[in-house]
Amino acid sequence: MSRNRTQAMLFVALLCLDLHARVGSAPICPHGHTGCHILSLADLFDRVIQHSARMHGLSSDLHSEFEQYFLPSKNHISRVYRKCHTSNILTPNGKENAQKLAREELTEVIMKLLMAWRDPLSQLHQSMAHQQDFNSFSSNKALEMSDMVHELRKGVEKVTEKMQLLGMISNSVSGLSSPEALLPASESGEALSDYELLYCFRRDSDKVQNYLKILKCRIVPEHGC
Amino acid sequence: MNNNHSTFRKIYLYVCVLQEQAKTMERKDSLSLLCVLVCVWTQATYTQGSTQVPEDFTPEPIVLPHFTSCRSREQETFRCWWSTGSLANLSEPGALAVFFHQNNLMPIGWQECPDYTATVENECYFNKSFTHIWTSYCVQLRATSQNITYDEYCFTVENIVHPDPPVGLNWTLLNVSRSGINFDILVRWAPPPSADVQTGWMSLKYEVHYRVRNASHWDKLELESGSQQSIYGLQTDKEYEVRIRCKMSAFDNFGDFSESVFVQVAPIPTKVSVFPMALLLVFGVVGMLFLLVLIIFSQQQRLMVILLPPVPAPKIKGIDPELLKKGKMDQLNSLLSSQHMYNHDTYREDPWVEFIQLDLDDACEKNENSDTQRLLGLTRPGLKGDDDSGRASCYDPDFLPDTEGLLAAHSEMEERHPLVSESSPSTPSPELAETPFFPVQSQPVSQSWINMDFYAQVSDVTPAGAVVLSPGQQNDTPSKNPVDKTKKEEEEAGKEEEHEKKMKLQLLVVDPDRGYSHEVIARQVESSGAPFCSAPEIAYHTLPPEPAEEPHGWHGEYLAPDGEAQMAYFLPEAPPASMLPPVSDYTVVQEVDDQRSLLLNPSARQSPACPPNPIKHLPSMPAVPVGYLTPELLENLSP
């Protein structure tokens, strides 16, 4: 089976090349050393999903803190709803829609979302740190959130690469280095407030989490699905 | 208010018109009145129904129709419920309508509820096609006939998800504590079937509650992502109730509780563990008590000595007053013979004058003045020691030839003796009521003059205080005592047999309370009925006199010579010389100890009567180093 052999060789070569790009905490086995095991795709997925769950939890906490201190009436505010800057990204709104979506598209959606939130979250953290209203915990959470988005994005990139390596998805996934750095702007052109940013991010982090889970259970269903 | 006024006006007008009509028309009064009343009534009711209830008429607050809740069970569909409030006409079906609006990219506008649930009142069901997650919804409650919006509610579906309760709640016993009081259980469940956790669409977290049955407070455990959880520290004597609910992770909406499951574990009887401990404890205590009792009883003597040390009392060396009391002559003899100081050989070899040389001087000097004269000098002028200082008192060789048995026995005597008395029992002096007897050595051989002539047995004591000495006794029983001549002898002869044994053993009287008591010895000896010999100061120099002491514990009968109560020594009467065994009445002084007391030699031969030496007939005893009879030795003697 020469083709398998070439694929294996390619795999090994890519792994070696990938060493420079990998920044995560995953143990890497250079040159295929014995004694350390290469992370499987399922393990990678688990890590990424845990990361996204953590991120979503942070966003929920911050959002509820905002609601407690500043916005007593929930109904009231939802009326004064503004569009999120990520509303332009087409995302499946239901389970069937998400399942119907192809793996590549789903992966792409995830990546787009994560990319879209890189800058706004850093802005959010800066604005929260400057304001006197927030305590240190909230600003730390915002900082952690922005870092998490960064890490999650990289993680999803790794997973994508792995999937592409394993032939599970095609190589047509674009958007890895998308220059889309949309600044959050509402319809009226005004920047979204902190609360609106948190509201939007909370929604989007839930999306990312769910999409990752669906993707995982579709690709590697044997582990905990 | 305006309506009311108009109504009242209308009523007034009606009334006025009717009144006018009534005036004109007589027959139709009742009918018209009825009509008026009916019209008024309908008007009033109509007025009431069409407008809002005036506040001053109805104290109850008005409740408008409103949404009670909108919920999604599985994040795929959702329902909304509302209430009609307190308005009557709106309670009719169809009076209210629900419109919703989705804030998505395709704003369509307000749509009416896609499905009014037929079975449930006031419920609107949104199926999957109308449910979009991460999309903001707004629902409105409007009146159908009028353009009035009573309530509006906006939400996103993921925020209204209340999962169904988990199913399959059961428990298994993990373990029971050793004491049987506590136990642990493992609770298992399954996620609700409506929630799609297989595809990862929903990630649930579970919360277990438990309480003692019918208690008011529920205990909560931490959120659990898995499908099992342990409950620790339950008590076996109580019944517990366990229930569970779940929520979406990172969201706050818990679903309903599942059905309660009851947990009870029968308490295991723990007597087994308690019983051996109690038994062990009881056995331990009993064993210790037993050991203690054993120790006490085995070491009783020592404990008595330690706790109640005996008061040291002066002891007569080698003489046990108990023995003398009880009349155990054999033991006394053995005791005396066992002690080395009373060994015949020893005494035979050594001239006892060496031992008692000091005492001799003292004794001779002492006796010289008082009793010696009485003993020796009255009847025999030659015996009076006035000529010879000390010589006559201690030793008078003139006497010796006169005695029958003594001469032969005392022929070997070389030096003077402290006690020499000579009298013939057959020749009582008129002055001396008693004849002094020569002491007879108890030695069978009795060849030495030393042996023979040191003692003069006092046979009797006169009322005046004079001591009658008799020569040495025979071996025969004292029953042949020819002492009947003297009144004491007569009296005591009858008692000789009675007190013979008593006398024998009474030689050695060791009073445990006071050690040796010379008076006791003397008096006991005296009571034996043997020939009465009383020469306290002459016969005995071994012991310091204790004139004042009274013996106690001495049950023997004794005859105290008149006026002699103060005398320390009383000797049993010596039988007549003919009857006296040659050597049995006397004990040779073995040695002199530090206190200038004579250590007498226990004689082997028994003296039937009047053993002058109280230590004479001691039974054989184990060797006593110092020559004292200790209570331990006494024990050996006693049968």
Side-chain angles (χ1 to χ4, degrees):
Chain A
M1 309 298 286
S2 61
R3 192 172 179 187
N4 285 340
R5 278 183 97 183
T6 50
Q7 275 188 351
M9 290 298 294
L10 203 66
F11 175 72
V12 171
L14 282 169
L15 280 176
C16 295
L17 287 173
D18 249 358
L19 288 176
H20 311 292
R22 287 179 188 264
V23 185
S25 58
I28 298 164
C29 305
H31 311 294
H33 277 181
T34 58
C36 75
H37 69 284
I38 302 172
L39 272 178
S40 68
L41 189 60
D43 294 337
L44 277 174
F45 261 114
D46 284 339
R47 292 190 177 203
V48 164
I49 288 168
Q50 282 177 17
H51 226 80
S52 68
R54 169 76 177 150
M55 191 176 70
H56 176 57
L58 277 175
S59 67
S60 293
D61 293 342
L62 269 176
H63 180 258
S64 55
E65 280 180 26
F66 255 85
E67 280 192 336
Q68 276 180 354
Y69 292 124
F70 299 104
L71 309 159
S73 171
K74 198 173 183 180
N75 254 352
H76 218 62
I77 293 304
S78 55
R79 283 188 192 175
V80 193
Y81 162 76
R82 289 191 195 177
K83 271 192 180 179
C84 293
H85 64 286
T86 54
S87 300
N88 299 326
I89 304 172
L90 286 172
T91 59
N93 285 335
K95 188 178 78 172
E96 291 84 5
N97 294 344
Q99 285 175 339
K100 284 174 193 171
L101 212 61
R103 299 174 190 180
E104 294 85 356
E105 292 172 11
L106 198 55
T107 312
E108 204 169 321
V109 164
I110 294 168
M111 288 304 298
K112 282 183 187 174
L113 284 171
L114 290 171
M115 290 284 291
W117 278 103
R118 186 182 58 186
D119 295 330
L121 280 179
S122 60
Q123 280 182 2
L124 176 67
H125 162 65
Q126 287 172 4
S127 68
M128 282 176 71
H130 287 307
Q131 288 183 19
Q132 303 293 333
D133 299 331
F134 303 103
N135 54 6
S136 59
F137 295 117
S138 299
S139 61
N140 288 343
K141 279 184 187 171
L143 179 62
E144 194 179 351
M145 231 162 46
S146 65
D147 291 339
M148 256 183 206
V149 165
H150 196 70
E151 294 290 331
L152 190 61
R153 187 172 60 81
K154 291 185 181 175
V156 173
E157 285 174 7
K158 300 284 187 299
V159 168
T160 309
E161 289 166 8
K162 185 107 186 190
M163 284 196 294
Q164 286 171 347
L165 273 172
L166 296 174
M168 291 177 177
I169 58 175
S170 63
N171 295 335
S172 63
V173 176
S174 63
L176 290 177
S177 57
S178 171
E180 293 177 14
L182 293 173
L183 288 175
S186 64
E187 293 172 345
S188 57
E190 295 171 359
L192 288 169
S193 66
D194 290 341
Y195 174 73
E196 288 166 349
L197 273 176
L198 280 174
Y199 178 85
C200 293
F201 180 67
R202 182 164 172 258
R203 190 191 65 180
D204 289 342
S205 61
D206 195 24
K207 278 186 186 176
V208 167
Q209 183 186 1
N210 276 20
Y211 295 155
L212 281 171
K213 278 195 231 168
I214 290 170
L215 198 61
K216 182 219 170 187
C217 286
R218 208 195 291 183
I219 290 177
V220 281
E222 55 272 7
H223 300 280
C225 267
Chain B
M1 290 298 292
N2 290 330
N3 289 333
N4 289 336
H5 284 300
S6 61
T7 310
F8 276 115
R9 268 186 220 154
K10 285 178 188 174
I11 294 168
Y12 184 71
L13 284 168
Y14 278 126
V15 169
C16 289
V17 166
L18 283 170
Q19 278 181 350
E20 286 186 3
Q21 284 184 356
K23 287 178 187 177
T24 56
M25 302 167 74
E26 295 177 1
R27 271 199 175 182
K28 294 177 183 178
D29 287 348
S30 58
L31 284 172
S32 61
L33 278 173
L34 281 172
C35 291
V36 167
L37 286 172
V38 168
C39 291
V40 169
W41 183 72
T42 52
Q43 192 81 341
T45 53
Y46 178 75
T47 308
Q48 277 186 356
S50 60
T51 59
Q52 289 184 4
V53 179
E55 294 174 357
D56 49 351
F57 281 94
T58 57
E60 299 165 0
I62 296 171
V63 180
L64 289 174
H66 58 277
F67 285 105
T68 53
S69 66
C70 287
R71 283 199 179 192
S72 172
R73 289 167 55 204
E74 71 286 80
Q75 209 177 13
E76 295 171 36
T77 64
F78 69 98
R79 296 162 194 267
C80 281
W81 298 274
W82 67 92
S83 78
T84 54
S86 54
L87 294 176
N89 56 350
L90 294 177
S91 59
E92 299 166 10
L96 292 171
V98 172
F99 287 86
F100 72 97
H101 174 72
Q102 301 180 56
N103 293 323
N104 50 10
L105 292 174
M106 296 174 289
I108 299 173
W110 291 94
Q111 295 174 323
E112 194 169 354
C113 175
D115 186 8
Y116 289 99
T117 310
T119 55
V120 181
E121 192 178 357
N122 296 339
E123 177 186 297
C124 181
Y125 171 68
F126 294 81
N127 57 13
K128 289 184 184 182
S129 59
F130 286 97
T131 306
H132 301 105
I133 316 300
W134 303 295
T135 310
S136 170
Y137 280 80
C138 284
V139 287
Q140 283 184 349
L141 193 65
R142 300 179 188 172
T144 50
S145 59
Q146 296 171 10
N147 191 11
I148 304 172
T149 301
Y150 294 110
D151 193 10
E152 187 175 356
Y153 180 40
C154 295
F155 55 87
T156 55
V157 179
E158 67 269 18
N159 287 329
I160 60 166
V161 175
H162 296 256
D164 285 337
V167 296
L169 186 63
N170 61 4
W171 66 276
T172 53
L173 181 66
L174 277 179
N175 54 37
V176 183
S177 69
R178 286 194 63 191
S179 59
I181 298 174
N182 297 326
F183 66 98
D184 308 326
I185 60 169
L186 182 69
V187 182
R188 292 175 198 261
W189 60 86
S194 60
D196 190 2
V197 286
Q198 294 293 328
T199 58
W201 179 240
M202 288 178 72
S203 57
L204 297 174
K205 291 214 171 149
Y206 305 91
E207 191 183 59
V208 175
H209 291 212
Y210 68 97
R211 69 171 181 184
V212 180
R213 193 166 188 182
N214 297 334
S216 61
H217 171 67
W218 286 90
D219 288 323
K220 299 181 196 175
L221 297 183
E222 283 188 8
L223 287 175
E224 173 68 32
S225 304
S227 63
Q228 64 183 27
Q229 196 167 22
S230 304
I231 306 179
Y232 301 106
L234 301 177
Q235 297 185 359
T236 54
D237 57 346
K238 297 180 185 171
E239 189 180 5
Y240 287 90
E241 189 179 352
V242 180
R243 61 182 187 180
I244 192 171
R245 61 179 183 177
C246 60
K247 72 173 179 77
M248 288 227 298
S249 51
F251 289 95
D252 305 326
N253 302 317
F254 276 103
D256 292 332
F257 282 104
S258 65
E259 293 292 326
S260 291
V261 167
F262 296 99
V263 178
Q264 190 170 22
V265 171
I268 297 172
T270 57
K271 285 183 188 175
V272 181
S273 65
V274 173
F275 179 69
M277 281 301 293
L279 203 66
L280 199 70
L281 209 67
V282 165
F283 269 119
V285 168
V286 165
M288 279 189 63
L289 281 174
F290 182 70
L291 270 173
L292 205 67
V293 165
L294 207 67
I295 287 169
I296 287 173
F297 276 114
S298 66
Q299 302 292 328
Q300 200 173 14
Q301 292 295 324
R302 278 195 196 162
L303 281 176
M304 285 300 293
V305 170
I306 291 167
L307 294 174
L308 304 170
V311 176
K315 296 180 182 179
I316 300 173
K317 281 187 186 180
I319 296 180
D320 183 10
E322 284 297 324
L323 289 175
L324 293 173
K325 198 194 316 181
K326 292 175 188 173
K328 295 167 189 169
M329 295 304 293
D330 298 330
Q331 291 168 339
L332 274 174
N333 285 331
S334 61
L335 179 69
L336 287 171
S337 62
S338 69
Q339 300 190 2
H340 68 283
M341 65 191 72
Y342 304 110
N343 196 354
H344 295 302
D345 298 333
T346 315
Y347 108 90
R348 201 187 305 170
E349 292 163 0
D350 302 331
W352 68 257
V353 69
E354 293 178 4
F355 299 122
I356 59 165
Q357 194 160 4
L358 293 170
D359 285 342
L360 276 174
D361 297 333
D362 296 337
C364 292
E365 287 168 1
K366 259 197 300 186
N367 298 327
E368 183 181 354
N369 297 326
S370 57
D371 295 325
T372 311
Q373 291 180 3
R374 286 184 294 174
L375 283 169
L376 304 175
L378 290 179
T379 53
R380 312 249 185 253
L383 291 177
K384 282 190 180 174
D386 295 335
D387 304 340
D388 287 335
S389 63
R391 181 167 179 269
S393 64
C394 298
Y395 168 70
D396 194 346
D398 298 338
F399 286 149
L400 295 175
D402 295 339
T403 58
E404 298 173 357
L406 283 175
L407 276 178
H410 298 173
S411 60
E412 297 176 3
M413 215 167 148
E414 297 171 357
E415 299 191 13
R416 40 173 205 165
H417 306 277
L419 181 66
V420 172
S421 65
E422 173 268 344
S423 74
S424 163
S426 58
T427 60
S429 66
E431 297 183 9
L432 288 177
E434 297 82 8
T435 57
F437 289 166
F438 277 103
V440 179
Q441 286 297 332
S442 60
Q443 286 288 326
V445 179
S446 68
Q447 284 80 13
S448 67
W449 171 245
I450 299 170
N451 300 338
M452 287 303 179
D453 288 336
F454 285 157
Y455 302 92
Q457 188 169 3
V458 176
S459 62
D460 197 3
V461 176
T462 61
V467 175
V468 176
L469 297 179
S470 65
Q473 288 180 347
Q474 294 176 351
N475 287 334
D476 296 335
T477 61
S479 58
K480 298 175 186 176
N481 195 345
V483 192
D484 299 344
K485 297 173 186 177
T486 61
K487 57 179 176 180
K488 302 283 182 184
E489 295 173 355
E490 285 175 0
E491 292 171 3
E492 295 183 6
K495 301 166 192 170
E496 272 183 56
E497 294 167 5
E498 308 176 27
H499 301 290
E500 179 184 2
K501 287 190 179 175
K502 215 187 274 184
M503 173 208 66
K504 289 176 185 176
L505 279 180
Q506 283 167 359
L507 290 176
L508 183 64
V509 179
V510 175
D511 191 352
D513 295 336
R514 302 181 298 155
Y516 285 88
S517 165
H518 314 303
E519 285 179 325
V520 174
I521 294 164
R523 291 183 188 181
Q524 284 179 354
V525 167
E526 172 197 4
S527 72
S528 62
F532 182 68
C533 312
S534 58
E537 289 124 0
I538 298 174
Y540 299 93
H541 300 283
T542 58
L543 307 164
E546 297 180 49
E549 283 186 306
E550 287 290 330
H552 50 146
W554 181 58
H555 307 288
E557 204 176 325
Y558 69 96
L559 294 172
D562 301 337
E564 298 290 340
Q566 296 302 319
M567 295 175 70
Y569 304 97
F570 290 91
L571 298 177
E573 289 191 23
S578 59
M579 295 174 56
L580 296 174
V583 296
S584 62
D585 285 345
Y586 302 97
T587 305
V588 179
V589 176
Q590 187 72 19
E591 61 183 3
V592 179
D593 68 349
D594 303 336
Q595 295 148 359
R596 299 185 177 179
S597 58
L598 299 173
L599 304 178
L600 304 175
N601 183 22
S603 72
R605 295 183 56 180
Q606 289 187 352
S607 162
C610 190
N613 196 328
I615 320 177
K616 193 175 181 182
H617 301 291
L618 287 174
S620 63
M621 284 190 58
V624 177
V626 188
Y628 280 95
L629 273 181
T630 56
E632 287 86 355
L633 292 174
L634 171 62
E635 285 177 357
N636 298 338
L637 299 177
S638 58

